[in-house]
Amino acid sequence: MSVLDIAKGMGVTLGHLFKKPVTVQYPEQRAQVAARFRGRHHLLRHPDTGLEKCIGCSLCAAACPAYAIYVEAAENDPADPVSAGERYASIYEINMLRCIFCGFCEEACPTGAVVLGHEFELADFRYQDFVYGKDDMMVGVTGSRWQRREAESKGKDVRLGLESSHRAELEGVDD
Amino acid sequence: MKVTVNDVEVDLAPGTSAIDAVFAAGYDVPYFCSQEYMSPVGACRMCLAKVGAPRKDRDGNWILDDETGERTIFAFPALLATCTSALSEGMVIDTLSEEVKHAQNGMIEFTLINHPLDCPVCDKGGACELQDRSYEYGSGRSRFEFTKRHQEKHHPLSDLITLDRERCIHCKRCVRYFEEVPGDEVLDFIDRGGHTYIGTVEHGLPSNFTGNITDICPVGALLDATSRFRGRNWEYDHTASVSLDDASGSAVVVDARTGRIERIKAGLHPEVNKSWIDDGIRFGHEYTADPERITRPLLRKDGELVEVPWPEAAAFVAERLKEFSGKDVGVCIRADATLEEGVAALALAEHLGTGQVDHAPRYGPTVMPPAQATLQELAVSDAIFVVGDVSEEVPAVDLRIKDALRGVTPPPLLPHGVPIADLRLKERMPRKREILCVAAPYRVDLMRHAGTVARYDVGGEETLFRGLIAIAEGGSADERVLGMTLAAAKAFVDRLRAAKKAVIVTGGFVLSSQAAADAAERFARAVGARQLVLGPMANAYGLEAIGVLPSHARYDYASMVAGGAKALLISNLDPAADPAVAERLAESRLLVVHDMFMTATARLAHVVLPAKSGFEKDGTVVNLEGRFMPVRAAPVDAGEAVDVTGLVRELGLAFGVRIEGRSVRSARRSLRKTLGTDLEELTGLGAFVALPRRRVAVSVAARPGVRGRALRVPTMVRQEYLLRNPHLLATLGGPALRLHPDDARTRALSHDDEVTVRVDGVPRRLRVYVTDAMPSGVVSVPALPDAPAGPADVDLDGIVVERRRLEVA
């Protein structure tokens, strides 16, 4: 190894000093996530009818390698249906501490009802606050439980610390 | 008979079907319409295989191949449905060739043309034969681009069964089942071709065995309404157990999810219930999830029952028991308690030093006849005499009697189990009605199938049997006593005597009188028949066999609650439903009640201890034929509930002693000494264990004199839990007071009126059920554990109409 080699190496370091830094000043700055990033789940509705896409079939729970999903189904009232079809999920819970964000649930879903979104800021204080129900994941809800609590107490909108490009599956979530 | 399936040669009995040969050889063909214990019809055309057989020439010699010198195999011109093809010598079956695969693939495609692909919302999804077979034998893609057939979805066939007509693939299993197994033709195909659907003439399925069609439906067309959308098939914990609903010991599979029983399916026991269970067993489980269930011990403090921890409740009982001399304490368990619970109750009584130990309901006469018949013997019997309403009392026995009427012996088991297609069974087989005689004080369901019918008078069982004995001895008897013509009685007695395998089936009506039971036994001996006695509850046989009986006639359950015991421990019984008993019990110094619900007795108790249901405990029961069968606990959340062994364990801890029977294992150790058999090793099919036959020296207290002509009748559905089983309640409309139209007219009652009537002094709310099955002047009310089947005292003059039917509408 010669002095020249050392100088070459230092040259690389020196070159980077003058480049634009990649560090993001999170949370003041928003983090950029990729379009296919797998974050918290969203439960979608049919855009035209507003009915839930989830039919409570439990296939997501069957596919889940971490046993994070629990579904209980019930029969739709034909006069006032919750979902399209005969059954809907009366209880739909995902334990975010158990979830490994593998996306198998999304893959297993026959109706495209559960989709992994981009939100990743799920930190909270108590175990039970990590068990997300339908109210926490239904399309239209933005932010984790803690973020929504924080926003409500301050009387502001939820501020997500992320930015991403549009993904077609997240119909009604991104736009 | 040797046949070759692909490359495997199997040797099977002549008459075996080709489909069974394929399965016996370890190969597989898809099928939808064949079903164990039912006739094969070849409706679905799925089990196609290429079949060939050697032929003989005119001289009776096998036609041989010129080159090889072996028998030439002549293939059938088309593929055969193996389920309807009988084996012949040297047959060659090919299930693997491209031709067969192509045909099976085509049939799957054809079946799926009109089958909706709504598997994610279908309750059968994950356990569906069509789903599995499409996966195994289908092409994986559809070429069908047109709109599928649309028919009615979720059509309520009855309150218990939902029919999805789009999903039906017309295998005809359900239609055949009703005609062949219970003999109730309540379902049939309507319309033709692709528009065919199954339906009933009227709403509802009038049969006691409707639920079985949900088990045998190969797709999700017929579904159990109680478990509709409750969970997916792979989410259930399946526990193979034995039903404690009646004395048959029917095999069941209990499906539970997240600590709750969601459905009961029939288990397979070739010698007991085959693969059928009645609706009382199948749908009568919802009470276990009732929100009013007691889940923690309750102790009376300042006049109120409050929840306390187990040790506190047990310590209280142990402390208070010290105030009594041993013989003043009474212990009584219900007759569907397991053997292990019986041991625990006996050990507790022994520890306390009391002879007042009993099980209830219990009749005076024994349920262990000297010449015991088994259910298999019943199914091949050539003369059957039934007294009582067996279809309601132990419905499994009803089905085995109908097996005997078909005259087909139970199929031999093949390497793969019960034959899939038993070619001896046919649709609409002639039934040998002449071998069955049914006698009852009113018209019972089984009479439709009987060649000889006898309608004797209420309480006339003893005189009936005496009359029959007289006939058997060559004498004569009064036709009014027999309830049939003398000629018919003589003919049937002759048939019984001539029969090689005659069986006499008696139930609660005969058991409720010692004289009648003795007469029945004498008659059985006179004609050389074996006996099947239908005990009042699941383990009446076993508890009698191990001697959970009072040491003296004065010490029985009736005497205990009548004041014989100053301190009383009772499990799952409700004597205080009777106001007179309640008055006495209210003054008792210590009343400990072990029950699932706040019964009238529990409300009077000093301590209420939570009990397990029959689905939640491990143990052993002995069914009505003396077969020991293992009961297994399903994973159900019952809070702090215990069975009697658990109760004894907790009390033992408070006493500071180790009582025998403090756990199931401890009780089994004790039973091993007395029975010489280790019940831990009992397999699911159970086993017969030699039992000492003891004459029950004690008898229950004499019943109060009967005023009217009324009966407590056995029911398929457990009446004590009926109000907590919403689906069954909707079907039955409530416990029924059945009476003749004439009687209803004279008392100005109409069908479906709700009335309160005193039965043996106990006010009961019942629904009026007007039927000409009851003779004029006779009424019936459902039996309860505390008031088992037998003659009753119904106060028809004091009837109070609570609600008229018209007000409901």
PDB file of all heavy atoms in Angstrom, chain B residues 167-187:
ATOM      1  N   ARG B 167     -75.314 -23.225  -4.933  1.00  0.00           N
ATOM      2  CA  ARG B 167     -74.139 -24.069  -4.706  1.00  0.00           C
ATOM      3  C   ARG B 167     -74.431 -25.546  -4.933  1.00  0.00           C
ATOM      4  O   ARG B 167     -73.507 -26.353  -5.014  1.00  0.00           O
ATOM      5  CB  ARG B 167     -73.638 -23.882  -3.274  1.00  0.00           C
ATOM      6  CG  ARG B 167     -73.081 -22.497  -3.035  1.00  0.00           C
ATOM      7  CD  ARG B 167     -72.467 -22.410  -1.650  1.00  0.00           C
ATOM      8  NE  ARG B 167     -72.126 -21.034  -1.322  1.00  0.00           N
ATOM      9  CZ  ARG B 167     -72.274 -20.495  -0.122  1.00  0.00           C
ATOM     10  NH1 ARG B 167     -72.751 -21.218   0.871  1.00  0.00           N
ATOM     11  NH2 ARG B 167     -71.939 -19.250   0.100  1.00  0.00           N
ATOM     12  N   CYS B 168     -75.697 -25.937  -4.988  1.00  0.00           N
ATOM     13  CA  CYS B 168     -76.057 -27.351  -5.065  1.00  0.00           C
ATOM     14  C   CYS B 168     -75.538 -27.966  -6.373  1.00  0.00           C
ATOM     15  O   CYS B 168     -75.672 -27.385  -7.450  1.00  0.00           O
ATOM     16  CB  CYS B 168     -77.570 -27.494  -5.000  1.00  0.00           C
ATOM     17  SG  CYS B 168     -78.128 -29.180  -5.165  1.00  0.00           S
ATOM     18  N   ILE B 169     -74.915 -29.144  -6.251  1.00  0.00           N
ATOM     19  CA  ILE B 169     -74.412 -29.813  -7.453  1.00  0.00           C
ATOM     20  C   ILE B 169     -75.230 -31.070  -7.785  1.00  0.00           C
ATOM     21  O   ILE B 169     -74.795 -31.909  -8.565  1.00  0.00           O
ATOM     22  CB  ILE B 169     -72.915 -30.167  -7.332  1.00  0.00           C
ATOM     23  CG1 ILE B 169     -72.675 -31.078  -6.126  1.00  0.00           C
ATOM     24  CG2 ILE B 169     -72.059 -28.911  -7.241  1.00  0.00           C
ATOM     25  CD1 ILE B 169     -71.307 -31.736  -6.128  1.00  0.00           C
ATOM     26  N   HIS B 170     -76.397 -31.208  -7.146  1.00  0.00           N
ATOM     27  CA  HIS B 170     -77.347 -32.278  -7.471  1.00  0.00           C
ATOM     28  C   HIS B 170     -76.773 -33.675  -7.280  1.00  0.00           C
ATOM     29  O   HIS B 170     -76.956 -34.555  -8.105  1.00  0.00           O
ATOM     30  CB  HIS B 170     -77.860 -32.125  -8.904  1.00  0.00           C
ATOM     31  CG  HIS B 170     -78.395 -30.756  -9.173  1.00  0.00           C
ATOM     32  ND1 HIS B 170     -78.098 -30.047 -10.288  1.00  0.00           N
ATOM     33  CD2 HIS B 170     -79.172 -29.958  -8.427  1.00  0.00           C
ATOM     34  CE1 HIS B 170     -78.681 -28.875 -10.239  1.00  0.00           C
ATOM     35  NE2 HIS B 170     -79.340 -28.793  -9.113  1.00  0.00           N
ATOM     36  N   CYS B 171     -76.047 -33.864  -6.195  1.00  0.00           N
ATOM     37  CA  CYS B 171     -75.500 -35.201  -5.924  1.00  0.00           C
ATOM     38  C   CYS B 171     -76.556 -36.116  -5.339  1.00  0.00           C
ATOM     39  O   CYS B 171     -76.385 -37.315  -5.293  1.00  0.00           O
ATOM     40  CB  CYS B 171     -74.323 -35.098  -4.955  1.00  0.00           C
ATOM     41  SG  CYS B 171     -74.827 -34.617  -3.289  1.00  0.00           S
ATOM     42  N   LYS B 172     -77.634 -35.513  -4.824  1.00  0.00           N
ATOM     43  CA  LYS B 172     -78.776 -36.250  -4.287  1.00  0.00           C
ATOM     44  C   LYS B 172     -78.486 -36.920  -2.949  1.00  0.00           C
ATOM     45  O   LYS B 172     -79.272 -37.753  -2.498  1.00  0.00           O
ATOM     46  CB  LYS B 172     -79.261 -37.297  -5.305  1.00  0.00           C
ATOM     47  CG  LYS B 172     -80.773 -37.515  -5.261  1.00  0.00           C
ATOM     48  CD  LYS B 172     -81.188 -38.627  -6.191  1.00  0.00           C
ATOM     49  CE  LYS B 172     -82.674 -38.930  -5.996  1.00  0.00           C
ATOM     50  NZ  LYS B 172     -83.099 -40.116  -6.700  1.00  0.00           N
ATOM     51  N   ARG B 173     -77.362 -36.587  -2.317  1.00  0.00           N
ATOM     52  CA  ARG B 173     -77.093 -37.225  -1.025  1.00  0.00           C
ATOM     53  C   ARG B 173     -78.195 -36.926  -0.014  1.00  0.00           C
ATOM     54  O   ARG B 173     -78.665 -37.811   0.685  1.00  0.00           O
ATOM     55  CB  ARG B 173     -75.763 -36.722  -0.459  1.00  0.00           C
ATOM     56  CG  ARG B 173     -74.562 -37.485  -0.941  1.00  0.00           C
ATOM     57  CD  ARG B 173     -73.331 -37.019  -0.190  1.00  0.00           C
ATOM     58  NE  ARG B 173     -72.119 -37.541  -0.813  1.00  0.00           N
ATOM     59  CZ  ARG B 173     -70.902 -37.157  -0.478  1.00  0.00           C
ATOM     60  NH1 ARG B 173     -70.723 -36.256   0.455  1.00  0.00           N
ATOM     61  NH2 ARG B 173     -69.853 -37.668  -1.072  1.00  0.00           N
ATOM     62  N   CYS B 174     -78.600 -35.646   0.080  1.00  0.00           N
ATOM     63  CA  CYS B 174     -79.568 -35.264   1.118  1.00  0.00           C
ATOM     64  C   CYS B 174     -80.927 -35.911   0.860  1.00  0.00           C
ATOM     65  O   CYS B 174     -81.596 -36.370   1.785  1.00  0.00           O
ATOM     66  CB  CYS B 174     -79.693 -33.754   1.192  1.00  0.00           C
ATOM     67  SG  CYS B 174     -79.971 -32.975  -0.402  1.00  0.00           S
ATOM     68  N   VAL B 175     -81.326 -35.959  -0.408  1.00  0.00           N
ATOM     69  CA  VAL B 175     -82.632 -36.541  -0.754  1.00  0.00           C
ATOM     70  C   VAL B 175     -82.632 -38.035  -0.419  1.00  0.00           C
ATOM     71  O   VAL B 175     -83.551 -38.556   0.202  1.00  0.00           O
ATOM     72  CB  VAL B 175     -82.935 -36.306  -2.246  1.00  0.00           C
ATOM     73  CG1 VAL B 175     -84.223 -36.991  -2.638  1.00  0.00           C
ATOM     74  CG2 VAL B 175     -82.990 -34.824  -2.549  1.00  0.00           C
ATOM     75  N   ARG B 176     -81.553 -38.702  -0.816  1.00  0.00           N
ATOM     76  CA  ARG B 176     -81.453 -40.135  -0.525  1.00  0.00           C
ATOM     77  C   ARG B 176     -81.373 -40.371   0.971  1.00  0.00           C
ATOM     78  O   ARG B 176     -81.963 -41.295   1.503  1.00  0.00           O
ATOM     79  CB  ARG B 176     -80.202 -40.716  -1.199  1.00  0.00           C
ATOM     80  CG  ARG B 176     -80.375 -41.007  -2.661  1.00  0.00           C
ATOM     81  CD  ARG B 176     -79.111 -41.613  -3.206  1.00  0.00           C
ATOM     82  NE  ARG B 176     -78.025 -40.652  -3.252  1.00  0.00           N
ATOM     83  CZ  ARG B 176     -76.748 -40.944  -3.062  1.00  0.00           C
ATOM     84  NH1 ARG B 176     -76.384 -42.168  -2.781  1.00  0.00           N
ATOM     85  NH2 ARG B 176     -75.823 -40.018  -3.144  1.00  0.00           N
ATOM     86  N   TYR B 177     -80.601 -39.506   1.665  1.00  0.00           N
ATOM     87  CA  TYR B 177     -80.441 -39.679   3.110  1.00  0.00           C
ATOM     88  C   TYR B 177     -81.796 -39.746   3.808  1.00  0.00           C
ATOM     89  O   TYR B 177     -82.059 -40.644   4.594  1.00  0.00           O
ATOM     90  CB  TYR B 177     -79.595 -38.528   3.682  1.00  0.00           C
ATOM     91  CG  TYR B 177     -79.747 -38.385   5.168  1.00  0.00           C
ATOM     92  CD1 TYR B 177     -79.069 -39.223   6.030  1.00  0.00           C
ATOM     93  CD2 TYR B 177     -80.629 -37.459   5.709  1.00  0.00           C
ATOM     94  CE1 TYR B 177     -79.243 -39.129   7.400  1.00  0.00           C
ATOM     95  CE2 TYR B 177     -80.817 -37.351   7.064  1.00  0.00           C
ATOM     96  CZ  TYR B 177     -80.121 -38.191   7.908  1.00  0.00           C
ATOM     97  OH  TYR B 177     -80.312 -38.104   9.262  1.00  0.00           O
ATOM     98  N   PHE B 178     -82.662 -38.775   3.496  1.00  0.00           N
ATOM     99  CA  PHE B 178     -83.935 -38.726   4.222  1.00  0.00           C
ATOM    100  C   PHE B 178     -84.779 -39.966   3.948  1.00  0.00           C
ATOM    101  O   PHE B 178     -85.470 -40.453   4.826  1.00  0.00           O
ATOM    102  CB  PHE B 178     -84.717 -37.468   3.843  1.00  0.00           C
ATOM    103  CG  PHE B 178     -84.340 -36.286   4.688  1.00  0.00           C
ATOM    104  CD1 PHE B 178     -83.822 -35.144   4.123  1.00  0.00           C
ATOM    105  CD2 PHE B 178     -84.504 -36.332   6.066  1.00  0.00           C
ATOM    106  CE1 PHE B 178     -83.472 -34.059   4.903  1.00  0.00           C
ATOM    107  CE2 PHE B 178     -84.155 -35.252   6.863  1.00  0.00           C
ATOM    108  CZ  PHE B 178     -83.646 -34.115   6.272  1.00  0.00           C
ATOM    109  N   GLU B 179     -84.726 -40.471   2.727  1.00  0.00           N
ATOM    110  CA  GLU B 179     -85.537 -41.649   2.438  1.00  0.00           C
ATOM    111  C   GLU B 179     -84.909 -42.903   3.055  1.00  0.00           C
ATOM    112  O   GLU B 179     -85.598 -43.748   3.597  1.00  0.00           O
ATOM    113  CB  GLU B 179     -85.662 -41.809   0.914  1.00  0.00           C
ATOM    114  CG  GLU B 179     -86.689 -42.852   0.500  1.00  0.00           C
ATOM    115  CD  GLU B 179     -86.083 -44.235   0.356  1.00  0.00           C
ATOM    116  OE1 GLU B 179     -84.987 -44.360  -0.218  1.00  0.00           O
ATOM    117  OE2 GLU B 179     -86.687 -45.191   0.845  1.00  0.00           O
ATOM    118  N   GLU B 180     -83.585 -42.994   2.997  1.00  0.00           N
ATOM    119  CA  GLU B 180     -82.936 -44.249   3.371  1.00  0.00           C
ATOM    120  C   GLU B 180     -82.629 -44.364   4.855  1.00  0.00           C
ATOM    121  O   GLU B 180     -82.709 -45.431   5.421  1.00  0.00           O
ATOM    122  CB  GLU B 180     -81.623 -44.417   2.576  1.00  0.00           C
ATOM    123  CG  GLU B 180     -81.849 -44.630   1.109  1.00  0.00           C
ATOM    124  CD  GLU B 180     -80.558 -44.639   0.329  1.00  0.00           C
ATOM    125  OE1 GLU B 180     -79.508 -44.910   0.912  1.00  0.00           O
ATOM    126  OE2 GLU B 180     -80.613 -44.353  -0.883  1.00  0.00           O
ATOM    127  N   VAL B 181     -82.210 -43.274   5.477  1.00  0.00           N
ATOM    128  CA  VAL B 181     -81.739 -43.403   6.863  1.00  0.00           C
ATOM    129  C   VAL B 181     -82.865 -43.184   7.876  1.00  0.00           C
ATOM    130  O   VAL B 181     -83.278 -44.124   8.531  1.00  0.00           O
ATOM    131  CB  VAL B 181     -80.504 -42.508   7.111  1.00  0.00           C
ATOM    132  CG1 VAL B 181     -80.029 -42.644   8.540  1.00  0.00           C
ATOM    133  CG2 VAL B 181     -79.388 -42.906   6.157  1.00  0.00           C
ATOM    134  N   PRO B 182     -83.436 -41.985   8.016  1.00  0.00           N
ATOM    135  CA  PRO B 182     -84.536 -41.892   8.982  1.00  0.00           C
ATOM    136  C   PRO B 182     -85.884 -42.301   8.392  1.00  0.00           C
ATOM    137  O   PRO B 182     -86.841 -42.476   9.132  1.00  0.00           O
ATOM    138  CB  PRO B 182     -84.538 -40.416   9.376  1.00  0.00           C
ATOM    139  CG  PRO B 182     -83.930 -39.700   8.262  1.00  0.00           C
ATOM    140  CD  PRO B 182     -83.081 -40.657   7.483  1.00  0.00           C
ATOM    141  N   GLY B 183     -85.958 -42.452   7.067  1.00  0.00           N
ATOM    142  CA  GLY B 183     -87.238 -42.838   6.467  1.00  0.00           C
ATOM    143  C   GLY B 183     -88.261 -41.723   6.458  1.00  0.00           C
ATOM    144  O   GLY B 183     -89.456 -41.983   6.348  1.00  0.00           O
ATOM    145  N   ASP B 184     -87.801 -40.479   6.586  1.00  0.00           N
ATOM    146  CA  ASP B 184     -88.715 -39.340   6.521  1.00  0.00           C
ATOM    147  C   ASP B 184     -88.487 -38.660   5.176  1.00  0.00           C
ATOM    148  O   ASP B 184     -87.479 -37.981   4.994  1.00  0.00           O
ATOM    149  CB  ASP B 184     -88.406 -38.317   7.632  1.00  0.00           C
ATOM    150  CG  ASP B 184     -88.410 -38.946   9.001  1.00  0.00           C
ATOM    151  OD1 ASP B 184     -89.302 -39.756   9.261  1.00  0.00           O
ATOM    152  OD2 ASP B 184     -87.517 -38.620   9.806  1.00  0.00           O
ATOM    153  N   GLU B 185     -89.415 -38.839   4.253  1.00  0.00           N
ATOM    154  CA  GLU B 185     -89.199 -38.237   2.933  1.00  0.00           C
ATOM    155  C   GLU B 185     -89.669 -36.786   2.956  1.00  0.00           C
ATOM    156  O   GLU B 185     -90.800 -36.482   2.622  1.00  0.00           O
ATOM    157  CB  GLU B 185     -89.945 -39.042   1.868  1.00  0.00           C
ATOM    158  CG  GLU B 185     -89.332 -40.419   1.699  1.00  0.00           C
ATOM    159  CD  GLU B 185     -90.017 -41.200   0.608  1.00  0.00           C
ATOM    160  OE1 GLU B 185     -89.945 -40.793  -0.544  1.00  0.00           O
ATOM    161  OE2 GLU B 185     -90.623 -42.227   0.928  1.00  0.00           O
ATOM    162  N   VAL B 186     -88.780 -35.900   3.353  1.00  0.00           N
ATOM    163  CA  VAL B 186     -89.172 -34.502   3.516  1.00  0.00           C
ATOM    164  C   VAL B 186     -88.500 -33.591   2.493  1.00  0.00           C
ATOM    165  O   VAL B 186     -88.751 -32.402   2.477  1.00  0.00           O
ATOM    166  CB  VAL B 186     -88.856 -34.001   4.936  1.00  0.00           C
ATOM    167  CG1 VAL B 186     -89.697 -34.749   5.946  1.00  0.00           C
ATOM    168  CG2 VAL B 186     -87.386 -34.152   5.264  1.00  0.00           C
ATOM    169  N   LEU B 187     -87.635 -34.166   1.653  1.00  0.00           N
ATOM    170  CA  LEU B 187     -86.873 -33.333   0.732  1.00  0.00           C
ATOM    171  C   LEU B 187     -86.871 -34.019  -0.624  1.00  0.00           C
ATOM    172  O   LEU B 187     -86.823 -35.242  -0.701  1.00  0.00           O
ATOM    173  CB  LEU B 187     -85.441 -33.229   1.267  1.00  0.00           C
ATOM    174  CG  LEU B 187     -84.573 -32.046   0.903  1.00  0.00           C
ATOM    175  CD1 LEU B 187     -85.229 -30.763   1.342  1.00  0.00           C
ATOM    176  CD2 LEU B 187     -83.223 -32.178   1.588  1.00  0.00           C
TER     177      LEU B 187
END
